């Protein structure tokens, strides 16, 4: 065998064989791994969980310290192990990080980290190749549970590069004390934007809230029927191959006592979106100008799915067309925590549904390698 043949044989031998690769170890990835174990698959032998974060906790480990567990909206326990007796005053990053770590240990999920998944592409004999910083896996199915935290969305506006102050995104929000004595413009009409405003207002010299659309505040409980209807609207978009919208964008903002007080105090008085950014602030076409030291972009995130690009799953509309959790264009690929399953309870259910379909796929005659 010549040198080239030796190198090719060595590379082939280095490829690890499993039935399923789970990418991501947040709520969606851990739920999926749990259900894989429940149907009899063994970690390291039959499936592997790859996570690029330095420690357990998914995206929660990166949340700002002032986001206490009491402020978390609807954290749903992972399947098979309840999250109980959590101190509401502790940072959610600590509470949920410790919970995820205990969950991984209890179910022996053997998450490999930190591992960066670079791309998923077509392999041989009907298998997929998952190329990572820790080697390559050949697999019959992929569960992509990568969420959105790694893709913060920064809108672009004229004059943005001229602004002399600071521009931050929710992804690197340092907590309210960092804005003491400053004039802060918060951009975004979601839960993060309102939380930032209410935290920052007591410290800042002034706050201004701008959103593209008027925010929708919703009184009363978010019951099961309302939640199901909201998820269905998000699901219809991904069924059409359109980029998913967040469930919050459909449900509106839940009103609690803190929201009521902030509205009464004028903290949540909203202005329409500005037209341009100036060196000293933001401006509207009608001549209005607001001076600012900081622009805080609470403008959300986009799905982190670049690793799937070699499979060409995106539709003309910009999203991946889905049937349940399965990519319509490739039944070997499941997206969990994407679109309608981006909530914690949705991720649990989607993990179970994905594994059910993957069971059927694995029951078919495996292709020879």
């Amino acid at each position: 065998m010549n040198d080239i043949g030796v190198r090719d044989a060595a590379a082939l031998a280095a490829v690890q064989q499993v039935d399923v690769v789970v990418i991501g170890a947040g709520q969606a990835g851990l739920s999926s791994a749990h259900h894989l174990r429940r149907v009899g698959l063994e970690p390291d032998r039959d499936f592997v969980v790859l996570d690029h974060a330095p420690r357990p906790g998914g995206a929660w480990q990166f949340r700002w310290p002032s986001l206490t567990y009491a402020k978390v909206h609807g954290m749903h326990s992972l399947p098979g192990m309840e999250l109980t007796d959590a101190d509401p005053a502790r940072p959610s990053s600590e509470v949920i990080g410790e919970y995820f770590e205990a969950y991984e240990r209890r179910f022996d999920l053997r998450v490999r980290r930190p591992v960066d998944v670079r791309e998923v592409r077509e392999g041989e004999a009907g298998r997929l190749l998952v190329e990572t910083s820790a080697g390559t896996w050949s697999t019959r199915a992929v569960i992509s549970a990568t969420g959105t935290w790694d893709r913060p969305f920064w809108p672009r506006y004229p004059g943005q590069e001229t602004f002399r102050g600071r521009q931050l995104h929710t992804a690197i929000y340092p907590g309210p004390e960092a804005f003491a004595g400053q004039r802060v413009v918060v951009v975004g009409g979601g839960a993060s934007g309102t939380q930032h405003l209410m935290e920052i207002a007591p410290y800042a010299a002034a706050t201004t809230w701008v959103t593209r659309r008027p925010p929708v505040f919703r009184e009363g409980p978010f019951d099961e029927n309302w939640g199901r209807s909201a998820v269905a609207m998000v699901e219809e978009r991904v069924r059409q191959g359109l980029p998913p919208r967040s469930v919050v964008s459909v449900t509106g903002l839940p009103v609690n006592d803190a929201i009521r007080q902030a509205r009464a105090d004028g903290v949540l008085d909203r202005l329409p979106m500005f037209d341009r950014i100036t060196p000293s602030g933001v401006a509207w076409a009608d001549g209005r100008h607001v001076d600012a030291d900081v622009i805080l972009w609470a403008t959300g995130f986009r799905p982190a799915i670049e690793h799937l690009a070699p499979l060409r799953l995106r539709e003309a509309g910009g999203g991946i067309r889905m049937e349940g959790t399965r990519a319509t264009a490739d039944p070997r690929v499941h997206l969990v925590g994407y679109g309608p399953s981006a909530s914690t309870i949705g991720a649990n259910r989607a993990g179970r549904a994905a594994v059910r379909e993957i069971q059927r796929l694995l029951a078919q005659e495996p292709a020879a390698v």
Side-chain angles (χ1 to χ4, degrees):
M1 184 180 296
N2 60 29
D3 289 345
I4 294 177
V6 169
R7 286 198 299 271
D8 289 346
L12 183 61
V15 174
Q16 302 171 74
Q17 306 279 334
V18 289
D19 287 327
V20 187
V21 173
V22 180
I23 306 172
Q27 183 104 9
L30 294 183
S31 171
S32 300
H34 170 82
H35 288 294
L36 288 169
R37 291 223 69 167
R38 285 195 64 187
V39 301
L41 276 67
E42 287 290 326
D44 292 336
R45 185 193 71 188
D46 304 312
F47 73 92
V48 65
V49 184
L50 309 176
D51 188 35
H52 85 142
R55 56 190 178 274
W60 292 100
Q61 66 192 273
F62 305 113
R63 302 297 171 95
W64 49 98
S66 57
L67 182 64
T68 61
Y69 188 65
K71 297 178 182 177
V72 171
H73 293 301
M75 170 64 197
H76 198 273
S77 295
L78 284 158
M81 180 177 162
E82 292 294 316
L83 172 53
T84 57
D85 301 322
D87 181 352
R90 290 186 68 201
S92 60
S93 58
E94 296 178 5
V95 172
I96 299 172
E98 291 171 6
Y99 171 56
F100 280 17
E101 183 175 19
Y103 190 87
E104 291 179 19
R105 286 199 309 268
R106 177 169 175 177
F107 294 104
D108 189 26
L109 299 179
R110 307 179 205 173
V111 177
R112 302 191 185 201
R113 61 169 60 88
V115 177
D116 293 321
V117 174
R118 293 166 178 159
E119 65 176 24
V120 180
R121 59 182 177 84
E122 193 67 49
E124 295 182 352
R127 298 175 72 90
L128 295 167
L129 285 178
V130 181
E131 297 189 350
T132 82
S133 59
T136 300
W137 275 265
S138 171
T139 183
R140 297 185 64 192
V142 165
I143 297 177
S144 184
T146 46
T148 62
W149 187 258
D150 296 320
R151 284 202 65 207
F153 175 61
W154 293 75
R156 302 301 302 172
Y157 279 84
Q160 196 161 4
E161 70 285 352
T162 71
F163 183 59
R164 291 194 295 263
R166 287 189 299 157
Q167 296 189 58
L168 304 174
H169 190 277
T170 292
I172 52 174
Y173 174 69
E177 295 88 352
F179 303 94
Q182 297 183 316
R183 299 161 298 179
V184 184
V185 173
V186 177
V187 184
S192 294
T194 56
Q195 287 177 3
H196 294 337
L197 278 159
M198 290 188 293
E199 286 189 352
I200 292 170
Y203 295 88
T207 60
T208 303
W209 186 27
V210 297
T211 70
R212 285 193 303 140
R213 292 181 293 271
V216 177
F217 293 98
R218 188 174 186 277
E219 296 273 1
F222 282 72
D223 59 24
E224 187 174 344
N225 288 335
W226 177 261
R228 188 180 299 116
S229 174
V231 168
M233 285 186 272
V234 179
E235 191 168 25
E236 181 57 29
R237 285 184 61 86
V238 299
R239 191 177 292 118
Q240 295 174 15
L242 298 172
R245 292 175 61 191
S246 69
V247 174
V248 171
S249 72
V250 177
T251 61
L253 295 162
V255 174
N256 54 29
D257 289 342
I259 291 282
R260 291 188 189 92
Q261 187 61 54
R263 296 180 75 182
D265 293 342
V267 173
L268 295 181
D269 288 346
R270 168 259 181 191
L271 293 177
M273 197 63 204
F274 48 75
D275 295 288
R276 60 191 175 88
I277 299 174
T278 72
S280 60
V282 296
W284 287 257
D286 63 5
R288 185 203 306 253
H289 186 277
V290 169
D291 290 333
D293 303 299
V294 181
I295 300 174
L296 176 56
W297 299 93
T299 44
F301 300 79
R302 298 293 183 262
I305 53 176
E306 297 89 344
H307 55 287
L308 300 176
L311 299 178
R312 301 179 183 275
L313 301 178
R314 284 188 187 269
E315 300 286 330
I320 296 178
R321 189 184 301 273
M322 306 289 295
E323 287 295 333
T325 64
R326 174 173 49 82
T328 305
D330 194 328
R332 300 168 298 177
V333 179
H334 288 257
L335 279 74
V336 179
Y338 175 85
S341 63
S343 65
T344 54
I345 188 171
N348 283 358
R349 293 170 176 167
R352 182 174 63 245
V355 170
R356 191 180 301 125
E357 286 212 30
I358 287 172
Q359 268 190 291
R360 289 194 284 266
L361 176 72
L362 297 181
Q364 300 171 13
E365 189 67 27
V369 178

